[in-house]
Amino acid sequence: MWRGSKSTRPDRWRRVAHAGTVPMLALAAVLGACSDMAVLPISAGTGPNPTLPEPRSALIPTVNIAPAKGWPAGVTPKAALGMRVVAFARNLDHPRWLYVLPNGDVLVAETNAPPKPDDAKGIRGWLMGLVMQRAGAAVPSANRITLLRDTNGDGIADVRSVLLAGLNSPFGMALVGNRLYVANSDAVWSFPYASGDTQIVASGTRVVALPAGPINHHWTKNLIASADGSKLYVSVGSNSNVAERGMAAEAERAAVWEVDAHSGDHRVFASGLRNPVGLSWEPHSGALWTVVNERDELGSDLVPDYLTSVRDGGFYGWPYSYYGQHVDKRVTPQRPDRVAQALAPDYALGPHTASLGLASSVGTTLPAAFANGMFVGQHGSWNRRPHSGYKVVFVPFEGARPSGAAPVDVLTGFLSPDGDAWGRPVGVALDRQGALLVADDVGNVVWRVSTGR
């Protein structure tokens, strides 16, 4: 071990794949011509009771990619009224996830997908490779965790250090006592840490292996610690869209694991969650919550990604059904017994928004309207026309439950007027001053949202 550190397409697509010479813009135009258009506004697919129209499937899926461009000079995202946004740190390498240490230091996972040789085979793999390239997600992984420190309190990091290097597509992070836990794409590791450290040179200890392999379709593994630090909860996405590789390839995937932080023993805490990513504790009830990326290729209006509490032993439908007990007829064999057990999620976040980041607002110094709820980073769609996501939103809570018919925009302006992606928000976290930090993996920036103009 190192130290420390989607089905068959028409013949014309087969010919295009073998030719390998079609310019990306031309390809996007051809694919766009075959795309369906949403018939419902994005608001219809949000809130506690989203509208779920009949599914629309097509031989060629909707592909509507916002090309990754990066931020023009002098341009930033747009914060909601009464707030301002500045770059906390620039010139990062695909920053995806954030974790704030008790002393205020900010950890950034600079990361991307690990090699997945068997996930790129065939027409589907070739097409998705182009999607990732156009979306800015095909760059090599930096495989490190960088520490950012603001020594003078001006809201901009002035110290930067590589805390851990040589990792394997790291993502989730959690500090428990003097151990820093890191979720790589294939395992959870722990490292010794002392407050103020800017570099860890000691070897890590593997806590538990995670599902990975030569496909590893949803590679991002997040984690969060229990209040007493004895348990880790780890999100593990599915190995496919709707189990088209068979359920054997999905063993212990599409789930949240509960892991003993000391022994590494684990169990599946909740299942049927296609791609759970962000994890957060709800402070009033103490319940675990997650945001989930739902399935693709059922049309631009299906299926809403969602925010939900995670029940011990709960089953949330994937792959057999979506949003509770709505059967996905593409899945074979059908499992009506499992569908009957499927729990409906708590709150819809819009179809194809790619909702990834999640942070409780407890402790925020943003305006009072954001005092109780969850911030959500929406990475943005590829399977919807028009685009959805590409912003940070807030879901207000009343007590321990979401309230309101739609989320509130917090940070927007990630898309240009021409539909290019200047940035794409991913992880979100509150810093020690209560401001909101947002990782932007296309702009290579961590943004900081605070009060004022």
Side-chain angles (χ1 to χ4, degrees), residues 216-306:
N216 206 7
H217 185 70
H218 289 121
W219 62 272
T220 54
K221 309 299 200 299
N222 189 25
L223 60 81
I224 193 171
S226 62
D228 64 2
S230 65
K231 298 290 192 296
L232 303 173
Y233 294 86
V234 183
S235 60
V236 181
S238 69
N239 214 16
S240 61
N241 181 31
V242 281
E244 57 267 23
R245 297 183 175 97
M247 289 304 290
E250 306 294 345
E252 296 191 300
R253 282 184 171 264
V256 173
W257 290 16
E258 182 185 75
V259 178
D260 186 291
H262 302 292
S263 69
D265 293 340
H266 78 277
R267 68 183 180 101
V268 172
F269 182 77
S271 61
L273 300 155
R274 179 180 175 270
N275 186 26
V277 184
L279 297 166
S280 183
W281 297 109
E282 198 290 312
H284 295 88
S285 64
L288 181 64
W289 285 67
T290 189
V291 282
V292 177
N293 283 198
E294 251 294 353
R295 64 204 71 199
D296 296 320
E297 301 181 33
L298 288 178
S300 290
D301 294 309
L302 287 178
V303 174
D305 296 339
Y306 59 82

Side-chain angles (χ1 to χ4, degrees), residues 113-125:
K116 301 184 290 182
D118 290 355
D119 200 23
K121 293 182 177 179
I123 301 303
R124 180 188 214 88

Side-chain angles (χ1 to χ4, degrees), residues 387-435:
H387 296 302
S388 59
Y390 297 95
K391 58 185 176 179
V392 178
V393 300
F394 176 75
V395 178
F397 275 48
E398 187 171 313
R401 307 294 302 173
S403 63
V408 178
D409 287 351
V410 176
L411 196 63
T412 59
F414 287 87
L415 289 180
S416 77
D418 296 325
D420 295 331
W422 285 335
R424 299 185 77 184
V426 195
V428 293
L430 292 183
D431 69 12
R432 196 167 60 167
Q433 289 72 43

Side-chain angles (χ1 to χ4, degrees), residues 61-419:
T62 298
V63 178
N64 184 31
I65 309 159
K69 298 294 186 181
W71 292 94
V75 180
T76 70
K78 299 175 183 178
L81 185 66
M83 297 183 282
R84 63 189 291 262
V85 58
V86 299
F88 181 71
R90 293 186 182 271
N91 300 317
L92 295 159
D93 190 347
H94 215 247
R96 301 266 300 178
W97 213 243
L98 302 169
Y99 185 77
V100 180
L101 293 168
N103 71 346
D105 288 344
V106 177
L107 303 185
V108 183
E110 295 180 271
T111 189
N112 207 349
K116 301 184 290 182
D118 290 355
D119 200 23
K121 293 182 177 179
I123 301 303
R124 180 188 214 88
W126 171 82
L127 177 61
M128 291 311 299
L130 294 179
V131 169
M132 294 300 101
Q133 180 180 343
R134 189 164 170 81
V139 298
S141 179
N143 286 336
R144 66 175 173 255
I145 292 173
T146 293
L147 180 145
L148 303 173
R149 180 177 294 168
D150 175 10
T151 63
N152 58 12
D154 67 352
I156 299 174
D158 46 45
V159 171
R160 182 180 305 196
S161 176
V162 175
L163 184 73
L164 281 169
L167 302 172
N168 185 20
S169 297
F171 200 77
M173 299 159 279
L175 180 67
V176 178
N178 63 355
R179 304 295 295 185
L180 178 66
Y181 292 89
V182 177
N184 281 339
S185 66
D186 59 355
V188 174
W189 290 79
S190 76
F191 301 89
Y193 167 83
S195 182
D197 281 354
T198 58
Q199 185 179 21
I200 296 175
V201 297
S203 296
T205 300
R206 192 175 78 166
V207 178
V208 63
L210 300 173
I215 295 178
N216 206 7
H217 185 70
H218 289 121
W219 62 272
T220 54
K221 309 299 200 299
N222 189 25
L223 60 81
I224 193 171
S226 62
D228 64 2
S230 65
K231 298 290 192 296
L232 303 173
Y233 294 86
V234 183
S235 60
V236 181
S238 69
N239 214 16
S240 61
N241 181 31
V242 281
E244 57 267 23
R245 297 183 175 97
M247 289 304 290
E250 306 294 345
E252 296 191 300
R253 282 184 171 264
V256 173
W257 290 16
E258 182 185 75
V259 178
D260 186 291
H262 302 292
S263 69
D265 293 340
H266 78 277
R267 68 183 180 101
V268 172
F269 182 77
S271 61
L273 300 155
R274 179 180 175 270
N275 186 26
V277 184
L279 297 166
S280 183
W281 297 109
E282 198 290 312
H284 295 88
S285 64
L288 181 64
W289 285 67
T290 189
V291 282
V292 177
N293 283 198
E294 251 294 353
R295 64 204 71 199
D296 296 320
E297 301 181 33
L298 288 178
S300 290
D301 294 309
L302 287 178
V303 174
D305 296 339
Y306 59 82
L307 168 68
T308 193
S309 57
V310 184
R311 301 187 197 176
D312 189 352
F315 175 70
Y316 292 81
W318 190 89
Y320 308 108
S321 63
Y322 57 87
Y323 225 86
Q325 300 178 4
H326 295 81
V327 173
D328 191 330
K329 296 180 180 179
R330 299 173 297 177
V331 180
T332 56
Q334 294 278 298
R335 288 289 305 271
D337 57 324
R338 295 297 277 155
V339 172
Q341 299 168 348
L343 300 171
D346 291 288
Y347 195 90
L349 294 168
H352 308 294
T353 55
S355 296
L356 300 176
L358 183 65
S360 168
S361 69
V362 170
T364 187
T365 50
L366 296 181
F370 301 100
N372 184 27
M374 300 273 184
F375 295 105
V376 179
Q378 298 189 323
H379 201 219
S381 61
W382 71 268
N383 189 218
R384 185 177 191 273
R385 182 175 295 275
H387 296 302
S388 59
Y390 297 95
K391 58 185 176 179
V392 178
V393 300
F394 176 75
V395 178
F397 275 48
E398 187 171 313
R401 307 294 302 173
S403 63
V408 178
D409 287 351
V410 176
L411 196 63
T412 59
F414 287 87
L415 289 180
S416 77
D418 296 325

